[in-house]
Amino acid sequence: MSGTQDLALPERRRRAGGGMTAVRELGILIALAVVVGVTALVNPLFLSGQGIRDLLLNACLVALLTVGQTMVVITRNVDLSVGSVLGFSAFLTGDTFSVDPALAIVVGIGVGALCGLLNGALVAAGKVPSLVVTLGTLYVIRGLDYAWAQGRQINAANLPDGFLALGSAGVLGVPYLVIITVIVLAVAALHLSSYRSGRELYAIGSNPEAAVLVGIPVGRRVFTAFLVSGAVAGLAGVLWAARYGTVDATAGTGLELQVVSAVVVGGVAIFGGSGTVVGAALGALLLTTIGSALEVLHITAFWQQAITGALLLAAIALDRAVALRQAAALRRQSRGVSA
Amino acid sequence: MVIALAEVSKSFGAVRALREVSLTLTAGRAHALLGENGAGKSTLIKVLAGVHRPDSGQLLLDGAPARFASPADAKAAGVAVIYQEPTLFGDLSVAENVAMGRHPTRRGGMIDVAAMREQAEELFARLGVDIDPRRPARGLSIADQQLVEIAKALGSDARVIIMDEPTAALSGTEVRRLFGVVGALREHGAAVLFVSHRIDEVFELCQEATVLRDGGFVWSGPLHEQTPDSVVRLMVGRDLDALFPKQEVAAGETVLSVRRLTREGVFTDVSFDVKAGEILALAGLVGAGRSEIARAVFGVDKPDGGQVLVRGKRIRAGSPGAAMSAGIGFVPEDRRQQGLVLDASIERNAALASLNRLSRLGFVRSRDERSLARDWAVKLQLKFAHLTDPVAVLSGGNQQKVVLAKWLSRRPAVLIVDEPTRGIDVGTKAEVHRLLSELAAQGVAILMISSELPEVLGMADRVLVVREGRTVAELARAEADEERIVLAATGVAVA
């Protein structure tokens, strides 16, 4: 048993919550540097001020959604409804703007929270698997969106400039959208790493039965994770309307899969228990950057999807390989010493 | 009195796990809960822990009726439980495992990571063990996991501490330390409920005891009124021979040979033979690696080294299909998870391992499926309403018969049974034992894993004792007794 001392993980890695998250974040940053470097060599415009701005703005909406998704996935669940929630929220925001701008923002976030509440209640109280629940609400909410829109489209002309500025203007050159995303990210990261209710989400995903036995209110925590995911998707909807100005009932279609991909690439274990929001956001940034880079390099959109998929598989293969090696090493060591 | 149960009953489906059991725990005293496996000890513990709600009877907290709606309620009332099977969070650090649910926080509610680690270090120091609080819980040995569990319970400042077989995986010095800590807790006014199969430990640590048998209350009182012998008689309370109708069979030629089978960190250099007509029992403590050996023999887990031979022919490692073709059948430990498809019908489950034989051009002929199931239902005296009923509605014993039917219909040369009578009522238990005995008489080589010593002693021709992944003793039927097995399994002398 004395040999367990040797197994201590470096401080940096332990604090991150899972074993290997910091390593993962470093890996993503390297991948990011490679993609940006190669693309900039071919087309220097990629690194212009405007280029970087566009990149960040595009990444922000996905990154924002990964924050809520990460909290849900950590508890061994998944929220597939985020794309629909974003779409519905964006449309309602656009519609209520003529009534009252502040109200519009509240309505957007509120509708998202309401959707999250529905998901959370069905999963936590109804004990229905989240994959099924949120697949259902994905279609239901998109349906509501279509019914509400009735073929209409909201144009930038319908929205006041002050609101649109949310999506483009900023402080000292940093767009508001980026600032909002970073704030949400920071709050969530702090909560997950340093507050009881945050750590309990990891415990739930790591071993649900044991979580019940140590007295964690599992149902309430899972419910809250879905509520947050919904509210964040609502906020992302508001920002979507501000960023693009044009909203129809198809806004955000298919976004949920991008978000789940980003979360997994970012090192959040799909079976819960480990991963960070920062890793997930970096995953979103990497995927978006690859998308933009391929455009700049004039590679067709078909390849973009194939590359996203390949990256996802590579990330999972890496996780699996590392986990197996770790398990084997730990097994060998704890037995080898005590026997 | 701190906490008490008054005439508590609890049933799971048709199985009455507890029948009007009463128990009183007093501050400053250690109380032993005794009984054989399946006597209802775990159910009773889970009632006290808030996991199960009693069907009838009362839970009394400081003399007043109380109700634990969840484990959180029990924790809030000051009840801490050390479960037999560790319940750790593999992804989180050891320190966080110890702190989970009551992290030390700074002002503003932020977790104080340094204090959390110090807390864990302090608890480990009290227990005299050296575990790094920063490492992840995943990969800890069973003994270390158990120690983390104990630290978890000690850290919660509980008034009632329940320990379900805490010493099963511990070494002698660790047990001594634990007893020292329990003594100190008692002096501080905690009530302790202690479950152990080691009778000498019980007499050393506890002042009073309650004995259960088959879910019913047998005796409760101060331990000095009893002797180890008299307590064991209270626990067993029935004639052992009646329960184990073992037929004497002349062993035939060797059917199953296992040679130097190794899975790193799990078990090492395991070799044994099983002859036709012989029942070989693997005995040992929970976590010693017995089930893991069985899984590797059947090919569920791939061994790192060694080989498995059936009738001298080597079978491909890590392939249950190859093991089945070679004539091995495997009745797993957890029949609900691994042995059955609970929602599928009795006939579907019974035919599941014989689909090759029952199908033509890839289509399963359901008439043959049904006749197979009907034949075996009659042979095994299965109690059921319709063969089309889902297996989930059957009692535990009858479910186990369906699992047996599934394998027996393949006429296996080797049958591996892992805890064949776990969670089965006494009557059906005897039937399962009779069945295994008959199979051996027909020439099947049987490898049996059992944590119930009476079952091992009653059924086995030979006993192989496993400790920490190694075979440490082989005892013939004539020389096997409870004391020798426990001695070999624990490496600790019994009084």
Side-chain angles (χ1 to χ4, degrees):
Chain A
M1 208 163 319
S2 55
T4 49
Q5 202 72 37
D6 309 334
L7 297 171
L9 291 166
E11 181 79 349
R12 174 174 60 87
R13 288 162 69 185
R14 186 193 54 78
R15 287 189 66 104
M20 28 173 273
T21 29
V23 177
R24 166 60 70 90
E25 283 144 23
L26 199 69
I28 296 176
L29 285 175
I30 292 170
L32 207 54
V34 170
V35 172
V36 171
V38 169
T39 316
L41 274 182
V42 178
N43 187 344
L45 272 182
F46 189 63
L47 274 187
S48 69
Q50 189 57 38
I52 291 180
R53 245 176 78 90
D54 282 346
L55 190 69
L56 281 179
L57 289 175
N58 289 339
C60 270
L61 286 166
V62 182
L64 203 54
L65 290 173
T66 62
V67 172
Q69 191 71 255
T70 301
M71 292 182 72
V72 170
V73 172
I74 281 175
T75 66
R76 206 180 273 193
N77 283 292
V78 69
D79 185 354
L80 293 180
S81 70
V82 288
S84 299
V85 173
L86 178 143
F88 195 29
S89 156
F91 206 100
L92 286 176
T93 304
D95 261 358
T96 29
F97 230 97
S98 45
V99 186
D100 180 45
L103 180 72
I105 296 174
V106 172
V107 163
I109 298 175
V111 148
L114 220 59
C115 296
L117 192 133
L118 177 69
N119 284 332
L122 286 170
V123 174
K127 310 250 179 257
V128 189
S130 57
L131 185 78
V132 181
V133 167
T134 58
L135 191 61
T137 49
L138 179 157
Y139 287 112
V140 170
I141 295 165
R142 183 62 68 185
L144 289 175
D145 194 4
Y146 275 108
W148 179 265
Q150 302 207 310
R152 287 176 304 135
Q153 180 172 340
I154 289 162
N155 297 309
N158 307 122
L159 299 171
D161 292 342
F163 178 65
L164 293 172
L166 258 183
S168 48
V171 187
L172 300 171
V174 183
Y176 289 121
L177 183 50
V178 176
I179 294 173
I180 293 173
T181 304
V182 169
I183 290 174
V184 172
L185 199 63
V187 169
L190 187 68
H191 171 248
L192 283 175
S193 69
S194 300
Y195 285 84
R196 275 189 196 175
S197 49
R199 300 308 299 168
E200 286 174 2
L201 295 180
Y202 287 98
I204 292 167
S206 189
N207 189 343
E209 291 84 30
V212 174
L213 292 179
V214 297
I216 294 173
V218 173
R220 204 185 328 150
R221 292 280 177 271
V222 170
F223 174 82
T224 310
F226 275 99
L227 187 65
V228 169
S229 178
V232 168
L235 172 65
V238 173
L239 296 173
W240 175 288
R243 162 109 177 96
Y244 296 107
T246 314
V247 183
D248 63 15
T250 64
T253 302
L255 203 56
E256 59 281 342
L257 295 184
Q258 265 188 60
V259 172
V260 175
S261 307
V263 164
V264 173
V265 168
V268 179
I270 195 75
F271 289 122
S274 71
T276 64
V277 280
V278 174
L282 284 174
L285 185 60
L286 178 62
L287 290 184
T288 321
T289 308
I290 290 175
S292 311
L294 294 175
E295 269 170 44
V296 169
L297 299 173
H298 300 295
I299 295 173
T300 58
F302 303 121
W303 280 110
Q304 204 172 312
Q305 295 205 358
I307 286 172
T308 307
L311 194 68
L312 191 68
L313 293 178
I316 290 169
L318 185 77
D319 279 354
R320 190 75 196 132
V322 171
L324 282 178
R325 283 194 53 169
Q326 245 182 2
L330 286 170
R331 247 192 325 157
R332 214 162 288 146
Q333 210 139 350
S334 39
R335 250 306 148 72
V337 178
S338 61
Chain B
M1 171 169 99
V2 179
I3 196 167
L5 297 178
E7 301 192 343
V8 162
S9 298
K10 176 77 188 173
S11 298
F12 300 100
V15 181
R16 298 185 65 186
L18 284 180
R19 283 175 284 129
E20 297 181 1
V21 172
S22 300
L23 175 87
T24 303
L25 299 184
T26 316
R29 296 179 77 87
H31 191 111
L33 182 59
L34 298 164
E36 290 187 285
N37 286 358
K41 292 171 299 187
S42 294
T43 309
L44 187 147
I45 287 170
K46 285 186 171 164
V47 169
L48 287 172
V51 177
H52 295 323
R53 255 64 59 201
D55 298 333
S56 65
Q58 266 188 334
L59 180 83
L60 301 168
L61 201 61
D62 297 318
R67 197 185 121 81
F68 291 160
S70 71
D73 285 359
K75 267 193 81 155
V79 179
V81 187
I82 300 164
Y83 291 98
Q84 189 178 2
E85 315 269 324
T87 52
L88 299 181
F89 306 106
D91 297 294
L92 305 181
S93 72
V94 165
E96 188 145 36
N97 268 282
V98 173
M100 189 51 73
R102 37 166 199 86
H103 287 94
T105 52
R106 285 180 293 208
R107 220 180 315 151
M110 251 175 111
I111 292 171
D112 188 339
V113 177
M116 180 172 93
R117 194 185 314 149
E118 274 163 31
Q119 227 174 47
E121 264 161 6
E122 189 190 313
L123 288 164
F124 289 141
R126 262 168 84 187
L127 287 167
V129 295
D130 180 23
I131 301 175
D132 185 348
R134 291 170 303 180
R135 65 159 284 165
R138 178 162 294 146
L140 282 173
S141 72
I142 296 281
D144 285 354
Q145 289 184 35
Q146 195 69 50
L147 290 164
V148 174
E149 285 287 332
I150 293 167
K152 218 160 109 177
L154 296 184
S156 65
D157 295 322
R159 318 190 281 150
V160 180
I161 297 183
I162 301 172
M163 303 181 164
D164 191 358
E165 301 251 11
T167 59
L170 301 186
S171 74
T173 33
E174 288 160 351
V175 171
R176 293 262 77 77
R177 285 280 193 161
L178 176 62
F179 282 14
V181 172
V182 170
L185 287 171
R186 278 206 301 118
E187 276 163 30
H188 285 96
V192 177
L193 182 66
F194 185 75
V195 180
S196 174
H197 281 131
R198 300 183 187 170
I199 301 291
D200 58 325
E201 282 182 5
V202 166
F203 273 85
E204 183 185 341
L205 190 74
C206 302
Q207 293 78 49
E208 45 203 45
T210 295
V211 180
L212 303 181
R213 190 196 312 144
D214 298 329
F217 175 86
V218 177
W219 178 84
S220 190
L223 258 180
H224 62 75
E225 292 178 4
Q226 299 283 346
T227 65
D229 278 353
S230 66
V231 165
V232 170
R233 266 199 301 280
L234 287 171
M235 285 163 58
V236 180
R238 65 180 113 87
D239 194 1
L240 278 184
D241 296 342
L243 195 54
F244 305 103
K246 168 81 177 132
Q247 303 179 17
E248 289 306 323
V249 181
E253 61 187 38
T254 299
V255 181
L256 175 72
S257 307
V258 173
R259 290 286 167 267
R260 307 200 57 142
L261 205 63
T262 298
R263 190 165 147 79
E264 276 189 56
V266 184
F267 54 84
T268 312
D269 265 352
V270 172
S271 301
F272 57 83
D273 289 323
V274 191
K275 298 190 178 73
E278 189 184 38
I279 300 180
L280 173 68
L282 286 184
L285 302 174
V286 171
R290 296 166 301 159
S291 299
E292 290 77 4
I293 293 171
R295 287 166 61 88
V297 170
F298 190 64
V300 182
D301 298 328
K302 193 168 180 174
D304 295 321
Q307 40 185 284
V308 177
L309 303 101
V310 175
R311 293 211 175 89
K313 266 217 256 166
R314 187 172 173 181
I315 58 174
R316 188 149 57 88
S319 161
M324 282 169 68
S325 313
I328 305 183
F330 180 43
V331 177
E333 182 179 11
D334 183 347
R335 68 178 158 268
R336 298 173 68 85
Q337 295 287 331
Q338 297 162 1
L340 293 166
V341 184
L342 280 181
D343 297 329
S345 66
I346 297 169
E347 53 188 28
R348 280 279 152 79
N349 272 286
L352 212 52
S354 310
L355 291 180
N356 268 340
R357 199 155 48 79
L358 295 178
S359 56
R360 181 172 291 165
L361 299 172
F363 290 95
V364 177
R365 289 166 299 179
S366 54
R367 205 193 310 157
D368 294 357
E369 192 177 67
R370 178 157 306 177
S371 75
L372 174 145
R374 178 159 298 133
D375 284 356
W376 283 101
V378 172
K379 279 186 207 162
L380 304 186
Q381 300 174 4
L382 186 72
K383 290 180 188 64
F384 63 97
H386 305 283
L387 283 173
T388 47
D389 287 343
V391 176
V393 303
L394 298 178
S395 72
N398 281 301
Q399 287 182 352
Q400 190 69 312
K401 285 184 186 174
V402 175
V403 183
L404 281 167
K406 178 172 88 178
W407 291 110
L408 297 186
S409 62
R410 290 179 58 89
R411 313 227 165 258
V414 179
L415 189 65
I416 305 174
V417 288
D418 193 352
E419 303 288 358
T421 60
R422 174 175 288 178
I424 292 179
D425 60 279
V426 180
T428 322
K429 235 178 195 173
E431 276 185 66
V432 171
H433 289 145
R434 181 181 50 78
L435 251 163
L436 291 176
S437 186
E438 278 174 20
L439 283 170
Q442 290 162 20
V444 178
I446 297 179
L447 177 63
M448 180 179 83
I449 295 170
S450 174
S451 297
E452 296 190 39
L453 280 180
E455 184 167 274
V456 169
L457 293 171
M459 296 294 297
D461 294 299
R462 269 188 308 139
V463 181
L464 202 60
V465 185
V466 183
R467 182 173 79 224
E468 289 178 2
R470 288 171 189 274
T471 52
V472 290
E474 185 180 329
L475 304 166
R477 183 174 177 80
E479 52 182 5
D481 59 34
E482 194 148 336
E483 197 172 315
R484 281 200 171 124
I485 294 176
V486 172
L487 182 69
T490 57
V492 181
V494 270

